[in-house]
Amino acid sequence: MQTLKAEKKSISSNNDQELVNLLEIEDLSVHLGGNQILKNINMVVKKGHIHAVIGPNGAGKTTLMRSIMGGMPHQGIIRFLFRSNSKIGYVPQLLEFDHSVPITVCDFVSIMLQDKPIFLSGSGSIRKKIVETLAITESEHLIDRLIGGLSGGEFRRVLLAQALEPLPEILLLDEPASNIDEYGAMLFEQMLNRLREEHGLTILMVGHDIKMILRMADRVTSINRRVMFDGTPDELQGPGKVDELFNGSMAISTENMEG
Amino acid sequence: MESLYELIGGWATQGYLPAIFEHTFMIRGMLAAILIGPLLGGIGTVVVTKKLSFFTQTIGNGALSGVAIGLLFGEPVEGTYAGLYGFCLIVALLMTFVKNRSRLSNDTVIGVVLAQVLGFGIFMLVVVTNNFNIHQVEGILFGSLITLTDNDLIALGLASMIVGVIFCLIFNKIMLVGFNPILAKARGLRPVFLEYTFVVLMTIVVVASLKLIGALLVLVLIVVPAAGAQNIVSNLRQFVWVSIVFSTISTSVGLLLSAIFPIPSGAVIVLVSSLIFYGTLVLRPLFGKSGVQQGQA
């Protein structure tokens, strides 16, 4: 963990002021079924940053993510400062399907990379492309495994691989630390740090895993329907600070945070 | 149509086909079975993967009201298509709309509408059956080979062409939307549009199979072949093909048996598909599947 921390610090040593904005959110509000889910959210994601959005369950994190992806009616402005919407890579938290249906990693990646229905295309034609895609996250050996049978860490790497093909301008990670063991999480973090160095990726991650976020993020926005905190992870380090933000709904002791 | 029936009937007379195919209704039924089988099996794979079984049943239940409404507006008893398609589409689209717009779970929305549609259907039937024969409605509920007309067959042919083409065009996309709508959006798809398109396809298939299989049993033919297929296949491509083969065998063999034994076609078709399903359960270990699925992720 110590090495990871050191690595992070070296990457993020650039002065924040010099970085350009990649994503700007102004006065974002979302109402759903008569409830206000998000209220006047303002935040900016800088190019090259790992930006974390944290908050307790039900704080509106997923709604924020959906709004950014354009899948949610909202008020306010969400502005991407690059050309096309297609350059967003998205790593979902989970895939929703009946897990007794046999869907292989190959099937899953193919349906995203080709229009031709999977049952009308030969297995060989797109396989090379899929192997190349999986290789980005060193997961090409998983190609014939069933999605439902992957470990948390393997699953996350497959999801990350698809998000990087084609290479996006910004990577959105939804709850990257869920359903994953300590070792898997560490591998995943190393991979993210490496990808970010190699490709200059900007990463926006949403989650409630404070440990991972304090280790990795350059900037943290905490929300609970509205913005509760916006600053660097160091500013969050004070005793009781995290508890306060999470309204006691998610008590995390400082020992836990040290990992 | 007549010349086609004569041609096929001729084969039966000459002994190339079982003698039962000398009857026009049997030829019609078999053509319908071969047209609808692959659609049910294909659509079924998506329904099972997306856990939409009871959504489909709700559309089927809507058929009761659909028929009654069609009759009220003066459609002939043997083909209340406007009423059926109209009402079932409204129910299906409305359910999708409510599900997308409210915070109710899918299961709750379906539960509410399933009950309402059934109640409304029975109410409508009582109102309408004052002036027509209830036995016609039994055909809608359980399937009735005898009531199948040339027009039904033409409608079925059209439906299978339209559904078949659109299904191939959107299969990958609708699967991805099912896995994760935000991911689908990130990959440049329009999840809401795709979802509504699939709902329309499902409705067309359900309504098109009413006469052969019946409103109460159509769910079985959508779910069971796909469920049987998933017992023995090892990837998505095999899943679709095996499901299509199972459903087509079920409809055609079931129909043949229903002509020999005097049981409604829908019931026999369901029995055949169930036999196949239990067969796959027994054969499962041969395809390298253990009894218990290890599922996570």
Side-chain angles (χ1 to χ4, degrees):
Chain A
M1 294 298 154
Q2 287 308 318
T3 53
L4 276 177
K5 215 159 196 175
E7 209 175 312
K8 189 203 95 184
K9 291 285 185 272
S10 71
I11 298 167
S12 59
S13 55
N14 340 9
N15 191 341
D16 280 7
Q17 304 305 317
E18 293 168 12
L19 296 171
V20 293
N21 294 352
L22 196 66
L23 168 65
E24 296 172 351
I25 297 175
E26 286 171 18
D27 280 326
L28 173 72
S29 292
V30 174
H31 297 265
L32 194 61
N35 295 322
Q36 181 144 37
I37 313 290
L38 292 175
K39 191 179 177 190
N40 295 63
I41 303 285
N42 285 288
M43 61 181 275
V44 170
V45 179
K46 301 267 187 193
K47 190 172 168 61
H49 261 177
I50 293 186
H51 192 124
V53 174
I54 59 171
N57 287 329
K61 298 189 298 284
T62 304
T63 304
L64 176 64
M65 199 68 120
R66 282 182 67 179
S67 305
I68 293 172
M69 297 304 310
M72 183 68 95
H74 59 259
Q75 289 141 17
I77 298 167
I78 297 172
R79 194 182 297 122
F80 284 100
L81 294 133
F82 53 86
R83 249 177 288 148
S84 146
N85 232 27
S86 64
K87 285 182 178 171
I88 304 171
Y90 178 64
V91 181
Q93 181 186 358
L94 42 81
L95 298 180
E96 180 68 33
F97 68 98
D98 184 333
H99 281 272
S100 52
V101 176
I103 293 164
T104 63
V105 170
C106 183
D107 290 335
F108 170 63
V109 182
S110 325
I111 63 168
M112 283 183 277
L113 298 186
Q114 65 174 10
D115 283 332
K116 198 173 176 188
I118 192 166
F119 56 91
L120 291 183
S121 60
S123 55
S125 52
I126 196 164
R127 205 175 159 90
K128 191 165 157 269
K129 176 84 183 157
I130 293 170
V131 170
E132 283 169 18
T133 302
L134 291 171
I136 306 174
T137 59
E138 294 154 28
S139 48
E140 62 271 34
H141 60 288
L142 302 172
I143 187 164
D144 290 318
R145 293 268 301 277
L146 292 181
I147 292 273
L150 298 178
S151 76
E154 291 170 333
F155 181 60
R156 199 106 344 237
R157 295 218 304 275
V158 169
L159 290 175
L160 179 60
Q162 65 75 28
L164 295 168
E165 174 54 49
L167 198 68
E169 195 84 37
I170 184 168
L171 194 60
L172 265 65
L173 303 177
D174 196 355
E175 298 280 359
S178 65
N179 293 322
I180 191 167
D181 58 42
E182 196 68 21
Y183 178 68
M186 196 188 73
L187 283 181
F188 191 68
E189 274 182 48
Q190 282 174 341
M191 191 164 285
L192 282 179
N193 279 322
R194 176 174 64 77
L195 288 166
R196 167 202 212 186
E197 260 184 298
E198 280 173 16
H199 305 291
L201 276 180
T202 306
I203 300 174
L204 176 62
M205 57 166 85
V206 164
H208 61 248
D209 186 299
I210 310 294
K211 268 189 291 177
M212 181 171 180
I213 278 152
L214 291 184
R215 273 200 305 267
M216 295 188 72
D218 301 300
R219 191 152 189 100
V220 179
T221 305
S222 165
I223 64 167
N224 195 351
R225 305 206 171 217
R226 59 196 172 82
V227 175
M228 312 290 285
F229 169 85
D230 190 57
T232 65
D234 291 338
E235 294 174 68
L236 264 182
Q237 295 280 23
K241 202 78 169 136
V242 172
D243 287 358
E244 202 179 295
L245 287 175
F246 279 60
N247 274 334
S249 65
M250 203 201 177
I252 290 180
S253 69
T254 30
E255 294 111 68
N256 272 345
M257 272 192 279
E258 295 305 323
Chain B
M1 290 306 265
E2 283 309 319
S3 54
L4 181 65
Y5 298 146
E6 273 171 35
L7 177 71
I8 298 173
W11 293 342
T13 325
Q14 290 160 34
Y16 296 120
L17 288 172
I20 187 95
F21 283 102
E22 287 175 27
H23 302 290
T24 306
F25 79 90
M26 195 57 208
I27 301 174
R28 259 195 220 121
M30 193 48 84
L31 289 174
I34 292 169
L35 282 172
I36 200 72
L39 290 189
L40 290 163
I43 288 276
T45 58
V46 181
V47 169
V48 165
T49 309
K50 283 169 67 86
K51 304 183 200 167
L52 286 174
S53 307
F54 285 95
F55 191 98
T56 319
Q57 181 67 68
T58 311
I59 301 174
N61 282 5
L64 285 170
S65 314
V67 170
I69 290 169
L71 290 171
L72 264 187
F73 284 92
E75 283 192 278
V77 178
E78 63 273 9
T80 50
Y81 280 114
L84 275 172
Y85 277 114
F87 188 78
C88 292
L89 270 178
I90 290 171
V91 168
L93 294 176
L94 212 62
M95 261 199 304
T96 313
F97 181 79
V98 171
K99 192 196 74 182
N100 286 345
R101 281 307 172 101
S102 77
R103 305 182 86 183
L104 292 172
S105 79
N106 211 355
D107 197 44
T108 309
V109 173
I110 289 169
V112 168
V113 181
L114 185 82
Q116 287 171 348
V117 164
L118 199 60
F120 184 64
I122 292 165
F123 168 76
M124 288 297 288
L125 279 178
V126 171
V127 171
V128 177
T129 44
N130 284 333
N131 47 34
F132 93 105
N133 184 355
I134 185 77
H135 292 297
Q136 300 287 359
V137 178
E138 279 178 21
I140 290 292
L141 288 181
F142 301 106
S144 163
L145 189 54
I146 295 288
T147 61
L148 201 70
T149 63
D150 281 355
N151 284 339
D152 289 332
L153 208 53
I154 292 167
L156 193 52
L158 271 176
S160 55
M161 253 190 322
I162 295 168
V163 174
V165 169
I166 299 178
F167 182 72
C168 287
L169 287 176
I170 68 166
F171 180 81
N172 291 1
K173 300 181 174 71
I174 195 70
M175 276 287 178
L176 185 57
V177 171
F179 290 161
N180 192 302
I182 311 180
L183 176 58
K185 185 94 192 169
R187 309 246 24 148
L189 303 182
R190 292 156 66 195
V192 177
F193 171 75
L194 285 163
E195 201 179 347
Y196 278 104
T197 307
F198 183 70
V199 163
V200 171
L201 293 191
M202 263 196 323
T203 310
I204 295 176
V205 172
V206 168
V207 174
S209 24
L210 285 179
K211 282 219 174 160
L212 198 64
I213 298 157
L216 295 185
L217 299 175
V218 65
L219 168 76
V220 183
L221 250 283
I222 287 180
V223 174
V224 176
Q230 76 179 15
N231 280 335
I232 58 170
V233 299
S234 53
N235 62 46
L236 206 50
R237 185 180 316 109
Q238 293 172 2
F239 182 42
V240 175
W241 285 115
V242 173
S243 176
I244 287 176
V245 169
F246 281 177
S247 62
T248 311
I249 292 176
S250 305
T251 51
S252 51
V253 173
L255 186 81
L256 207 55
L257 293 175
S258 83
I260 299 169
F261 307 103
I263 306 171
S265 48
V268 191
I269 288 172
V270 165
L271 283 178
V272 173
S273 74
S274 305
L275 275 179
I276 295 176
F277 175 77
Y278 290 113
T280 61
L281 270 187
V282 174
L283 295 177
R284 204 179 145 96
L286 290 183
F287 290 87
K289 300 249 178 173
S290 62
V292 187
Q293 278 280 331
Q294 37 155 325
Q296 63 148 326

